[in-house]
């Protein structure tokens, strides 16, 4: 595979040539992000998006130090197949052609994942993708998921040695992760269709020091290795800086669906504080163009987000907020 190293600047990594600079937009992942931005229409009622993001599970086997999932108060669950099938079929009829089968958790904890992939491909979806730590299951599982129709696998490996990885991930699964990446990369090369295999690594002082070793270990197995800076997730990881953006594209360019069947404004919403409409009571089309969602997009357009989790995310603070729909959010005082 042609290797791409994406660290936001020209890299000098031993015998590995840096083929990509973030500003050129040459990497696969950056092309994907650029395509989303091109599709974006920052209006109150944008057309239904081509891409949907479905929370097939909210369970994760790791507790990465930069991730807010450890603060989640919702019980761990998986999406019911009947609900999943109904919603992806509706989305396809509305024009969606791409599905992210995860939303901030570990997709391989979903026992229905292969079934979901097969159903989406049967409907006609063109691009299915996941992001995974890669340590659940074995080679047989990954082969089955790819053969079912998975088009893209991005592995999250945060650290280039066992000690750093364990400190970040909270578990000593480094060898298993490396083994999985090598197998999947080798298997993907044998196929007669393109399956993207990449790795992302959160940028911390510790992981920065070991990144060169990570490239040496798996650089020949993947198309792309990306480093990215960690940012405050929805005001819940306040020890990290806010994202370097003033606007968010999530409410405009993707349909985010929780495992309960709620239309949300974002994927980083572990307690459904950004859940807007209940898709068990209305269609996807009705929810996407509902008065509540239009009003919320209007607030984004006016930069009038105080009192919402979005404000905390964009501004980097832990300010008090109210869920967008208190009937859908998971609050401890309701239990």
């Amino acid at each position: 595979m042609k290797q791409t190293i994406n660290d936001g600047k020209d890299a000098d990594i031993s015998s590995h040539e840096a083929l990509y600079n973030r500003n050129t937009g040459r990497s696969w992942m950056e092309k994907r992000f650029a395509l989303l931005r091109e599709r974006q229409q920052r209006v109150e009622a944008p057309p239904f998006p081509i891409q949907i993001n479905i929370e097939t599970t909210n369970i994760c086997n790791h507790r990465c130090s930069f991730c807010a999932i450890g603060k989640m108060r919702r019980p761990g669950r998986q999406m019911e197949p009947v609900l999943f099938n109904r919603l992806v079929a509706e989305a396809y009829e509305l024009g969606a052609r791409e599905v992210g089968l995860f939303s901030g958790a570990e997709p391989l904890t979903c026992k229905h994942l292969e079934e979901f992939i097969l159903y989406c491909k049967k409907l006609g979806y063109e691009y299915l993708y996941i992001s995974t730590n890669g340590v659940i299951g074995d080679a047989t599982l990954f082969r089955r998921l790819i053969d079912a129709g998975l088009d893209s696998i991005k592995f999250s490996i945060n650290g280039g040695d066992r000690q750093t990885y364990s400190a970040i991930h909270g578990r000593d699964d480094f060898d298993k992760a490396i083994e999985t990446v090598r197998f999947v990369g080798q298997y993907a090369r044998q196929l007669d269709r393109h399956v993207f295999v990449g790795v992302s690594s959160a940028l911390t002082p510790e992981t920065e020091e070991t990144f060169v070793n990570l490239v040496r270990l798996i650089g020949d197995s993947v198309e792309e290795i990306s480093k990215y800076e960690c940012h405050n997730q929805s005001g819940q990881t306040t020890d990290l800086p806010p994202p370097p953006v003033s606007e968010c594209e999530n409410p405009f360019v993707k349909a985010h669906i929780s495992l309960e069947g709620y239309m949300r404004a974002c994927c980083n919403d572990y307690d459904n504080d950004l859940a807007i409409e209940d898709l068990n009571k209305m269609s996807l089309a009705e929810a996407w163009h509902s008065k509540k969602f239009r009003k919320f997009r209007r607030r984004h357009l006016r930069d009038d987000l105080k009192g919402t989790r979005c404000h905390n995310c964009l501004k980097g603070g832990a300010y008090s907020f109210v869920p967008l729909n208190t009937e859908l959010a998971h609050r401890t005082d309701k239990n």
Side-chain angles (χ1 to χ4, degrees), residues 48-189:
F48 194 83
I50 292 176
Q51 188 171 123
I52 61 174
N53 214 181
I54 299 189
E55 185 186 44
T56 54
T57 175
N58 67 346
I59 302 168
C60 191
N61 57 321
H62 284 186
R63 287 295 180 267
C64 295
S65 58
F66 55 85
C67 181
I69 196 170
K71 302 178 185 297
M72 180 178 65
R73 293 166 293 183
R74 279 193 301 159
R77 290 178 51 196
Q78 301 177 31
M79 194 175 212
E80 292 297 329
V82 172
L83 178 61
F84 177 91
N85 291 351
R86 189 204 112 203
L87 293 176
V88 294
E90 277 188 39
Y92 188 84
E93 290 299 315
L94 292 170
R97 293 296 181 268
E98 302 176 359
V99 184
L101 295 159
F102 69 103
S103 187
E106 172 50 57
L108 296 186
T109 64
C110 177
K111 62 184 179 181
H112 307 295
L113 188 58
E114 181 183 357
E115 174 187 343
F116 290 168
I117 294 170
L118 287 168
Y119 186 72
C120 286
K121 283 299 182 180
K122 180 180 178 181
L123 288 173
Y125 277 96
E126 300 166 1
Y127 189 77
L128 307 177
Y129 62 97
I130 62 170
S131 178
T132 174
N133 57 48
V135 302
I136 293 178
D138 55 14
T140 298
L141 174 62
F142 277 94
R143 187 184 296 112
R144 288 176 65 92
L145 296 178
I146 292 171
D147 290 349
L150 196 60
D151 297 288
S152 172
I153 304 176
K154 180 177 70 66
F155 292 96
S156 177
I157 301 181
N158 306 292
D161 58 37
R162 179 179 291 103
Q163 180 178 357
T164 304
Y165 179 98
S166 299
I168 299 294
H169 283 257
R171 286 187 56 172
D172 183 9
D173 288 330
F174 182 70
D175 290 341
K176 179 64 181 297
I178 297 300
E179 177 187 353
T180 300
V181 170
R182 287 172 174 168
F183 167 77
V184 172
Q186 180 183 31
Y187 185 66
R189 284 196 293 267

Side-chain angles (χ1 to χ4, degrees), residues 16 19 45 59 117 136 141 153 168 190 245 290 293 310 327:
H16 296 275
L19 302 175
I59 302 168
I117 294 170
I136 293 178
L141 174 62
I153 304 176
I168 299 294
Q190 302 172 7
V245 296
S290 72
F293 210 164
C310 290
E327 294 182 1

